[in-house]
Amino acid sequence: MASVQWVFNFANAILGVSLLALPYCFKECGIILSIFMILLCGYVTKVTCEYLLRTANFTRQSSYESIAFHLFGPIGKFATEFCTIGLVLGILISYQIVIGDLAPSVVYNLVGIQNSPKLRAILMVISNFAMLPLCMMKQVSSLSAFNFVTVAFYILFMFIIFWYALSNMLLNSFWDKVDLWNSYAIFRCLPMIAMAFSCQTQVLMILSALPDPTMKAMVDVINSAINLSATLYIGVGLFGYLAFYPDYIYGDILDNFAASFISDFIKLGFWVTGVLSFPLILFPARTAINSILFHKQRENEHRDSISTADDYIASDIYTYITLGLVFGTLIIGILVPNIEVVLTTTGAVIGIFLCYIFPSGLFIVASGNEKMKRGAQVILLVSVASMIFSTQAIITPVHPLKAKSDAVKLTETTPLRNVNIEIDNIGIDRHLNTYIDSNELALDSENAVKVKKVNVLLNDPHGDFLLKEIENNDLSNNENNIATRENNMVNQENKILNNEINDVNRENNILNNEINVVNRENNIVNNENSRNFNLDVDKNQNDSLISLNKRFLKQLYEMDINDT
């Protein structure tokens, strides 16, 4: 049974930013084809790693470069080291891009600093200074705790993606809305999946660091780590596709997450794991650069690269190479914002060659087992064909469409799949696959669709490529339309606000008039009350006078009677 510590160490050498691109591959190639490619690449990776172990045993060498030197001489050694540098640089640049994509979003949500290219560059520089002490570590075993944390987070991320996908998975009709097999994009996604399993440059380095550096122990570590990695790749790819298939799926699945506490936690986690995983990836590139530029060879002698850096690199050279790799990839990561571009380009050319073609070739030359050699020959031929077709699919140029051809003519009701459209500027009919957002469709009685907006992929004989001019024009028009609509909405809101203010003023005027009327009525009432009071006073006075006169007359009368 393989040690969990070394399984996680090797799994972290396999896993990485490629995990974020797997949902995009599932969307492009379909669920079944993507799972098949992951399982196939995982199996071939196990076989080629075993080829390297057996070849090292045959030749009594303990590093990839020394095996190539032993079997093919200086040319083989230089080719191995050059490809190792290119492959590792591609992976390191991908880590830098992911850090640059995640850090500004996390900082914005935490402290409210607006995202900008300047902030992205500053945070990438800070992150690189933070991981520089880890990059200076000279033993793989020193990174074991960090590797465990990183792989544990990747497992947690798969379960979070599953939770996001659960609501769509509970719908019985989701199978009718997702793609199961799309072979048109196989040579665009195969390099990314092959790149996701690229670990052959780390095999002999991990072997030399094992407490029990035997072939059986290393095979157990390889099989366990690749099984774990394949499970995570299938889980994240499948659940990521099912979680976001109604929308466009980006090359970096984190771009599909809406702002929330969970998405901030995921982004922060990948930011931290990127910083922790970066140092482990440095080891083979640092070894190869030292061997090419600084390592002095004696005739018929080649010193091996092992996992303790003090044994093969002088301290000052070790520092210079580390600083150059860290800050060199930092600069490229700032300038190149698209992770899928780096993964496909590096995986198609260097990844397939170094991880599948060259180990098979070394084993064929060194081994005497004819049965196993035939298997290696099959892997070699298939890998060469895959590298050629994948490279051609990636470098196929985009046709320079003019303004006239930018408006691709579609009939009012166009079938959802496989329509033939004549592009005016090119003057030929080409087979087009259209992908149409289900929210922008209207099905008619003939099961056709009325197209409001389409993204068109051209099915070229050598692979599909995006009509970038159409997409860019549509994107520019959409941005202008959105800006116009936002301005109209602002103007409409201002008009509504002005109307509300006028209504309030009118209501205030009406209220003031009513107050004036009430005041006038109060004045009238007061005047009437004052007059009534005066009348009452006059009446009382008259009554008093009358009563007084009556008493006076009565007295006079009584006096007259007395006199009489």
Side-chain angles (χ1 to χ4, degrees):
M1 182 64 181
S3 171
V4 174
Q5 172 189 348
W6 293 103
V7 169
F8 274 61
N9 284 348
F10 195 63
N12 194 33
I14 301 171
L15 297 165
V17 294
S18 298
L19 194 70
L20 302 177
L22 265 298
Y24 173 81
C25 294
F26 272 71
K27 186 263 294 184
E28 289 294 303
C29 294
I31 293 175
I32 296 177
L33 180 57
S34 298
I35 293 176
F36 173 75
M37 287 194 296
I38 290 174
L39 294 177
L40 178 63
C41 289
Y43 171 75
V44 175
T45 301
K46 290 181 182 179
V47 173
T48 52
C49 288
E50 185 175 347
Y51 287 165
L52 274 179
L53 292 175
R54 291 182 178 276
T55 306
N57 187 44
F58 295 151
T59 59
R60 296 293 186 266
Q61 303 297 320
S62 59
S63 72
Y64 202 159
E65 297 84 358
S66 62
I67 294 173
F69 180 78
H70 180 81
L71 295 177
F72 296 114
I75 296 178
K77 173 181 174 293
F78 176 80
T80 304
E81 292 169 339
F82 180 80
C83 291
T84 299
I85 294 171
L87 177 66
V88 175
L89 284 178
I91 298 174
L92 295 178
I93 292 169
S94 300
Y95 273 102
Q96 297 281 15
I97 293 173
V98 169
I99 292 173
D101 290 342
L102 299 180
S105 176
V106 174
V107 170
Y108 173 75
N109 292 326
L110 290 179
V111 298
I113 300 177
Q114 191 64 37
N115 190 357
S116 65
K118 183 177 180 180
L119 176 64
R120 179 178 184 268
I122 292 174
L123 292 176
M124 289 177 70
V125 172
I126 294 174
S127 300
N128 277 262
F129 275 106
M131 66 187 177
L132 195 57
L134 298 178
C135 295
M136 291 296 180
M137 289 185 176
K138 297 183 177 183
Q139 292 185 346
V140 174
S141 57
S142 304
L143 303 172
S144 296
F146 303 117
N147 294 331
F148 180 84
V149 172
T150 301
V151 177
F153 173 77
Y154 292 151
I155 296 173
L156 176 63
F157 176 62
M158 182 184 70
F159 284 105
I160 294 175
I161 289 282
F162 170 76
W163 177 257
Y164 271 80
L166 188 59
S167 59
N168 288 335
M169 293 171 61
L170 294 177
L171 300 175
N172 294 328
S173 60
F174 81 91
W175 287 111
D176 299 330
K177 300 177 182 178
V178 297
D179 293 319
L180 299 179
W181 189 284
N182 286 329
S183 58
Y184 68 89
I186 185 172
F187 290 114
R188 285 188 165 272
C189 295
L190 183 60
M192 283 190 279
I193 296 176
M195 181 82 167
F197 284 99
S198 60
C199 60
Q200 287 80 348
T201 58
Q202 308 272 1
V203 169
L204 299 177
M205 182 189 70
I206 297 292
L207 172 64
S208 63
L210 287 177
D212 178 25
T214 63
M215 182 174 175
K216 183 180 183 304
M218 190 61 201
V219 168
D220 289 340
V221 170
I222 291 171
N223 291 337
S224 300
I226 291 178
N227 290 339
L228 174 61
S229 301
T231 302
L232 288 174
Y233 286 150
I234 293 175
V236 172
L238 176 61
F239 298 140
Y241 179 36
L242 295 180
F244 301 107
Y245 74 86
D247 304 318
Y248 180 79
I249 297 178
Y250 296 93
D252 183 351
I253 191 62
L254 297 182
D255 292 335
N256 284 91
F257 284 88
S260 66
F261 172 78
I262 294 179
S263 66
D264 291 342
F265 170 76
I266 294 172
K267 292 177 180 179
L268 178 61
F270 270 100
W271 182 7
V272 174
T273 55
V275 171
L276 296 180
S277 300
F278 194 94
L280 179 63
I281 312 299
L282 278 176
F283 276 93
R286 192 160 40 203
T287 306
I289 292 175
N290 175 71
S291 180
I292 290 177
L293 300 180
F294 304 105
H295 193 64
K296 296 182 179 179
Q297 296 182 7
R298 299 175 184 174
E299 187 177 357
N300 298 324
E301 181 181 357
H302 176 73
R303 297 188 66 184
D304 299 337
S305 65
I306 57 178
S307 60
T308 304
D310 283 335
D311 292 338
Y312 64 93
I313 303 180
S315 295
D316 55 342
I317 295 177
Y318 182 89
T319 302
Y320 298 149
I321 295 176
T322 302
L323 292 176
L325 286 172
V326 172
F327 293 106
T329 56
L330 169 64
I331 295 172
I332 299 175
I334 293 174
L335 299 177
V336 180
N338 297 323
I339 183 176
E340 59 269 25
V341 173
V342 176
L343 291 178
T344 53
T345 304
T346 308
V349 182
I350 303 175
I352 294 178
F353 175 80
L354 188 64
C355 298
Y356 300 103
I357 296 176
F358 210 53
S360 301
L362 293 174
F363 181 78
I364 292 171
V365 173
S367 175
N369 189 324
E370 293 298 327
K371 183 178 179 180
M372 295 189 69
K373 285 175 68 173
R374 284 194 294 270
Q377 290 168 354
V378 172
I379 293 176
L380 178 64
L381 293 176
V382 173
S383 300
V384 170
S386 299
M387 183 181 70
I388 293 173
F389 288 124
S390 297
T391 304
Q392 195 165 11
I394 292 171
I395 65 175
T396 301
V398 178
H399 289 288
L401 301 178
K402 303 300 181 181
K404 181 179 179 181
S405 62
D406 284 346
V408 176
K409 305 299 182 182
L410 296 178
T411 59
E412 185 176 359
T413 56
T414 306
L416 180 61
R417 300 282 184 190
N418 303 333
V419 295
N420 289 319
I421 299 174
E422 181 177 347
I423 300 179
D424 297 335
N425 190 54
I426 301 177
I428 57 175
D429 289 334
R430 289 190 181 271
H431 183 67
L432 298 176
N433 294 305
T434 59
Y435 281 82
I436 307 170
D437 189 345
S438 59
N439 295 324
E440 298 173 344
L441 304 182
L443 293 177
D444 63 10
S445 59
E446 298 178 359
N447 272 338
V449 294
K450 183 178 293 185
V451 180
K452 294 181 180 179
K453 178 183 176 183
V454 295
N455 291 322
V456 183
L457 286 175
L458 182 60
N459 189 3
D460 190 82
H462 305 297
D464 305 310
F465 61 86
L466 186 64
L467 297 179
K468 293 185 178 179
E469 286 79 2
I470 296 177
E471 182 183 5
N472 292 336
N473 288 338
D474 287 343
L475 182 60
S476 178
N477 292 334
N478 288 337
E479 291 175 351
N480 293 333
N481 292 334
I482 291 172
T484 302
R485 285 197 298 269
E486 290 178 350
N487 290 332
N488 292 335
M489 290 175 63
V490 171
N491 293 333
Q492 189 71 19
E493 290 176 354
N494 289 334
K495 289 181 181 179
I496 294 173
L497 183 61
N498 291 331
N499 292 334
E500 291 177 351
I501 292 173
N502 292 332
D503 291 339
V504 171
N505 291 333
R506 283 195 296 271
E507 291 177 354
N508 289 334
N509 292 332
I510 293 172
L511 182 62
N512 290 330
N513 292 333
E514 291 178 351
I515 292 173
N516 292 331
V517 170
V518 170
N519 289 333
R520 284 196 297 271
E521 291 177 350
N522 289 333
N523 291 332
I524 292 172
V525 170
N526 291 332
N527 291 333
E528 289 180 352
N529 291 333
S530 179
R531 285 196 299 271
N532 291 333
F533 177 79
N534 292 332
L535 289 174
D536 290 340
V537 171
D538 292 342
K539 181 179 178 181
N540 291 332
Q541 290 177 352
N542 290 333
D543 291 341
S544 299
L545 289 174
I546 292 171
S547 176
L548 182 62
N549 289 332
K550 286 181 179 181
R551 287 197 299 271
F552 179 73
L553 290 174
K554 184 177 179 180
Q555 291 176 356
L556 288 176
Y557 178 73
E558 291 175 350
M559 290 177 62
D560 289 341
I561 292 176
N562 291 330
D563 290 340
T564 303

